Amino acid sequence: MASKTFIVMSDSHGDREIVKDIKERYLGKVTAIFHNGDSELPSSDTVWDDIYVVAGNCDYDSGYPNSLLIPFPGVTVAQTHGHLYHINFTWDNLIRFAQEGEADICLYGHLHRPAAWQEQGVLFLNPGSVSQPRGEINERLYAKLDIDDDKVSVSYYTREHQLYPALSKEFIR
Ligand SMILES: [Mn+2]
C-alpha cells in the first residue's frame, strides 16, 4: 500500500481558529484530517468539510456521529471521543470498540493528554488537546501519523506547527 499521513486533533473547545488553521495547512497534502470531538462548534460549520469529526461530551449538536469506522486501503481507522467508553476508568470498552471494527488505528480524545500506545495489534492515539492541555505536558498539541506497510511513526506538533520531539514514537505494525 502507498504510505499515508493522518493529521489528528481534538478538544479544541470553541477555538475555531486553530481547527481552521490546521485544516488550511494540511488539506490536500495529507491522506485525511481528524477531529476527535469537543469542538463545541455546530456540526453544520463548513470548517468540517473534508474533516472526519465525532461528538464529544461537550458537543450538544446531535448532527455529530458518536463514532466512525473508516476503511482506508490497507488501514482501518476507528474514531471516537472516548467518554461513551468510560476511558477515565478503563480501556476495556475502547479496546473492544476497536477490535469489533477490526481497526488498525483507534483515535480518541477526551483526556486532553497526548498518548500513543499499542494493544492487541491496534495503535491507540490521543492527540492531546489543541486548546486546553491537562497533565504534566502543558502544551497545546495535535498529532501526525505517518503510516507505512510495516510501521507507524507518531509525532506531535504545537499550535505553531513546531515539532514537539519528546513525544515522537515509532510502532511496528
Ligand atoms: Mn474535552
Side-chain angles (χ1 to χ4, degrees), residues 127-151:
S129 170
V130 76
S131 298
Q132 298 178 8
R134 294 179 197 143
E136 63 272 28
I137 299 167
N138 187 27
E139 187 75 55
R140 300 178 291 181
L141 298 169
Y142 64 93
K144 179 157 80 77
L145 299 182
D146 289 297
I147 303 154
D148 291 319
D149 283 337
D150 54 345
K151 66 172 176 12

Side-chain angles (χ1 to χ4, degrees), residues 11 13 37-38 57-58 81 110-112 134:
D11 292 275
H13 285 281
D38 271 3
N57 52 298
C58 297
H81 188 61
H110 190 46
L111 303 179
H112 294 219
R134 294 179 197 143

Side-chain angles (χ1 to χ4, degrees), residues 36-112:
N36 296 347
D38 271 3
S39 68
E40 299 186 44
L41 299 176
S43 66
S44 58
D45 193 315
T46 54
V47 78
W48 299 129
D49 295 349
D50 304 307
I51 295 183
Y52 294 101
V53 57
V54 293
N57 52 298
C58 297
D59 293 315
Y60 303 108
D61 186 322
S62 62
Y64 291 109
N66 286 324
S67 62
L68 290 173
L69 193 64
I70 310 142
F72 294 91
V75 59
T76 294
V77 175
Q79 183 191 19
T80 197
H81 188 61
H83 61 299
L84 297 172
Y85 298 91
H86 307 292
I87 60 170
N88 275 303
F89 307 103
T90 174
W91 295 113
D92 293 354
N93 306 310
L94 187 70
I95 291 168
R96 195 173 308 120
F97 161 66
Q99 284 182 324
E100 284 175 0
E102 297 184 8
D104 303 290
I105 294 172
C106 181
L107 306 176
Y108 68 100
H110 190 46
L111 303 179
H112 294 219

